[in-house]
Amino acid sequence: MPYEKIGKNERVCIADDVPFEIPESWEWARWGTLSESIQYGYNAPAQENGRIKMVRISDIQDNSVMWETVPYCDIKEGEIDAYLLKPNDILFARTGGTVGKSYLVQEVPEEAIYAGYLIRTRYSNQLCPQYLKYFMESELYWSQLREGTIATAQPNCNGKTLGNMLVPIPPSHEQIRIVEKLNAVMTHVIEYDTVDSKSKHLNNIFSERLKKSILQEAVQGKLVPQDPADEPASILLERIRAEKQKLVAEGKIKKDKHESVIFRRDNSHYEKLDGVERCIDDEIPFEIPESWAWTRIGSITELITSGSRDWAKYYAETGALFLRMGNLSKNSFTLRLNNLQRVQLPQKAEGTRTALQAGDLLFSITGEVGMLGLIPDKFETAYVNQHIAVLRFFPDIRNKYLPYLLLTDYAQKFYKGNQHGIKNSFRLDSIYNVLVPIPPSQEQKRIIDKIEKLFHKITVI
């Protein structure tokens, strides 16, 4: 049974205080009985032309003192000796977010004292300081520290708490052997920690990388097989052009200033723009199946516009939704609706242009360019602010294929290469000019179905 004698009092059994059994040759001791002194640091402001360096908590990084950043302070000549640091002293942070942090002084390049938020402990040369420092890294040390920490606005642990801590003490030579063994083991622990951190990081990013890989395969025609019975994408694009001309003639949409038509000839890709043909093989990023076709986003949209400005004055508790950057997503096109703003628009407020419809794709054009949000069916009345563009595709291609395409690494690379200004902005004409590979309509459906099945499996795993 472990006993403790305090002063002249009778020995008292402390079996209930002892956390675990130790070998016969070891002893339990209180930190205060091991220390020659437990002393608080010196309180003084840092001064550029001070007499002596004063080590602070912030100067201790990765178990070493950043001596070049240690400031000087003024102290009376007769007080210096009481606070001087010596090799094998252990410093202990007694307050704030670093409470409990410890540092073993191994060398002192020049005379230095220590600041008031530190406690210095100094020991007999019969004790191995490295063993005591290892104790201060142990769970036993931290559990006793937690019990003795005063719960104030700034966590605080005083010298009394430190002095009352129970420490298991081996024989002198065994202390040295323990330290040697721990030094050897810690090398492997550090290596393992590095590998473990990398492994956790890879696990965290694996699902997103896998999704990106699936999307890239999808838009290159490699995710599902082609069906010769499918209507070619070129016919789909001709049908969209005809619909576009009809809407222009009816005055429902504006005519393209620079209408683009992309076609193949002699195993090369050409673009007809403003009546002029040019080869664009150097712009085509990858090969696609014969039944697919390249086009620019502007050629397959009824509308590309940015949101409304200066609508903060219309913010209200009730009214239409006003979607902002925080409602878009980085690695998906699912709207985030946990932080909603509403607006009450007066009759004269401009709003028709940015009133959202089901199937509209929202696209961030400032800051983090390329965040997305797809407006679902039966969505309530909503508008967007000026940091978001609205893409409204023609009905024949208004599905999830293009939103998925705009999540690919190919699309992300295009965004990063076409930003302007100090604050990173993406112009509407840059969106218009994005080259996109279009599969036949039926294959688009098969691609979307395959993507969603695979993404579901990744989520479940």
Side-chain angles (χ1 to χ4, degrees):
M1 287 282 188
Y3 287 85
E4 181 178 26
K5 183 176 181 180
I6 302 175
K8 297 181 179 180
N9 297 327
E10 293 288 327
R11 291 195 310 161
V12 178
C13 178
I14 58 170
D16 291 340
D17 295 339
V18 171
F20 48 77
E21 293 292 325
I22 55 176
E24 287 290 329
S25 57
W26 291 36
E27 294 289 344
W28 286 103
R30 299 283 183 186
W31 190 280
T33 64
L34 299 173
S35 304
E36 294 179 1
S37 65
I38 296 178
Q39 182 172 323
Y40 289 76
Y42 187 74
N43 287 308
Q47 292 189 5
E48 187 174 345
N49 299 314
R51 178 190 295 271
I52 192 170
K53 285 207 165 191
M54 181 174 65
V55 175
R56 304 160 301 172
I57 297 172
S58 57
D59 297 317
I60 302 171
Q61 303 290 334
D62 298 325
N63 205 33
S64 62
V65 171
M66 313 300 289
W67 287 103
E68 63 276 9
T69 66
V70 175
Y72 286 87
C73 76
D74 264 343
I75 182 173
K76 293 179 182 179
E77 185 69 38
E79 295 180 326
I80 290 178
D81 286 347
Y83 299 97
L84 271 180
L85 287 175
K86 296 180 180 180
N88 296 331
D89 285 349
I90 294 179
L91 294 177
F92 166 91
R94 66 182 180 88
T95 189
T98 58
V99 64
K101 180 179 178 180
S102 61
Y103 168 66
L104 172 63
V105 179
Q106 295 178 307
E107 59 178 355
V108 185
E110 61 180 285
E111 281 195 341
I113 62 174
Y114 55 100
Y117 289 125
L118 290 165
I119 294 177
R120 183 195 66 195
T121 55
R122 185 172 287 168
Y123 311 91
S124 162
N125 58 14
Q126 297 299 307
L127 292 167
C128 177
Q130 289 83 6
Y131 172 79
L132 295 174
K133 178 63 175 73
Y134 271 124
F135 166 76
M136 296 185 87
E137 304 294 333
S138 71
E139 178 55 30
L140 174 58
Y141 163 77
W142 285 104
S143 64
Q144 294 182 87
L145 182 71
R146 285 191 292 270
E147 289 177 7
T149 298
I150 300 170
T152 60
Q154 283 282 346
N156 186 283
C157 185
N158 55 36
K160 182 178 180 181
T161 297
L162 186 61
N164 283 334
M165 281 193 184
L166 280 168
V167 187
I169 303 297
S172 296
H173 291 297
E174 189 170 349
Q175 291 177 39
I176 295 170
R177 294 197 302 273
I178 289 171
V179 168
E180 289 173 348
K181 188 67 173 180
L182 283 173
N183 287 342
V185 169
M186 289 306 293
T187 301
H188 298 294
V189 170
I190 293 169
E191 290 175 357
Y192 173 81
D193 183 62
T194 301
V195 172
D196 184 55
S197 296
K198 288 180 179 178
S199 176
K200 287 177 180 176
H201 174 67
L202 288 173
N203 284 335
N204 289 336
I205 66 174
F206 174 74
S207 63
E208 290 306 322
R209 285 190 176 181
L210 182 56
K211 288 179 180 180
K212 291 281 189 183
S213 178
I214 290 168
L215 292 177
Q216 195 62 41
E217 292 285 290
V219 301
Q220 290 185 231
K222 298 177 179 180
L223 189 63
V224 299
Q226 283 71 54
D227 186 343
D230 288 344
E231 176 188 77
S234 57
I235 296 177
L236 167 64
L237 295 180
E238 286 176 8
R239 194 159 56 247
I240 290 174
R241 279 193 291 272
E243 177 65 17
K244 195 168 194 176
Q245 290 170 4
K246 178 184 175 186
L247 293 176
V248 169
E250 294 173 351
K252 294 181 179 179
I253 64 172
K254 294 180 180 179
K255 183 178 180 180
D256 280 349
K257 293 180 181 179
H258 306 287
E259 187 174 1
S260 164
V261 179
I262 296 173
F263 57 93
R264 289 181 182 178
R265 186 172 64 213
D266 302 328
N267 295 320
S268 286
H269 292 84
Y270 291 84
E271 181 175 25
K272 187 175 181 180
L273 193 65
D274 296 332
V276 178
E277 293 181 8
R278 66 185 182 92
C279 180
I280 59 168
D281 281 347
D282 59 339
E283 294 184 47
I284 301 299
F286 46 78
E287 290 294 322
I288 55 175
E290 285 291 326
S291 57
W292 290 38
W294 286 98
T295 190
R296 298 201 184 269
I297 278 186
S299 298
I300 53 176
T301 51
E302 294 181 14
L303 176 73
I304 298 179
T305 190
S306 58
S308 300
R309 296 176 179 272
D310 303 323
W311 277 23
K313 56 190 172 185
Y314 301 132
Y315 284 0
E317 293 295 321
T318 60
L321 284 183
F322 192 58
L323 300 179
R324 301 166 296 172
M325 291 273 285
N327 300 120
L328 307 187
S329 299
K330 183 177 180 180
N331 294 312
S332 79
F333 45 78
T334 301
L335 286 172
R336 295 190 291 176
L337 302 176
N338 55 323
N339 184 18
L340 296 175
Q341 180 59 58
R342 294 188 177 275
V343 288
Q344 285 280 4
L345 300 184
Q347 291 295 321
K348 294 183 179 179
E350 177 261 6
T352 304
R353 178 179 61 84
T354 59
L356 299 177
Q357 298 180 14
D360 284 352
L361 184 65
L362 310 184
F363 182 104
S364 63
I365 53 176
T366 64
E368 190 163 3
V369 171
M371 294 177 68
L372 302 177
L374 183 63
I375 303 300
D377 291 338
K378 299 180 181 179
F379 198 66
E380 63 179 291
T381 302
Y383 302 86
V384 294
N385 72 4
Q386 72 269 26
H387 302 294
I388 298 173
V390 180
L391 283 64
R392 185 168 299 151
F393 299 104
F394 278 92
D396 282 354
I397 202 164
R398 197 177 296 168
N399 55 41
K400 293 182 181 178
Y401 171 75
L402 287 166
Y404 276 128
L405 186 149
L406 293 178
L407 291 172
T408 63
D409 286 336
Y410 158 67
Q412 296 287 336
K413 184 178 179 181
F414 187 89
Y415 309 152
K416 291 174 183 176
N418 289 275
Q419 294 183 22
H420 306 275
I422 298 173
K423 293 185 178 180
N424 294 344
S425 62
F426 200 69
R427 296 172 181 166
L428 297 184
D429 58 1
S430 294
I431 299 176
Y432 183 102
N433 286 320
V434 177
L435 269 173
V436 289
I438 303 298
S441 295
Q442 292 303 312
E443 189 170 345
Q444 289 178 39
K445 295 175 183 178
R446 296 196 298 273
I447 289 172
I448 294 166
D449 183 60
K450 186 70 171 180
I451 288 173
E452 296 188 341
K453 285 179 178 177
L454 291 173
F455 278 18
H456 176 71
K457 289 183 178 180
I458 292 171
T459 303
V460 170
I461 292 170

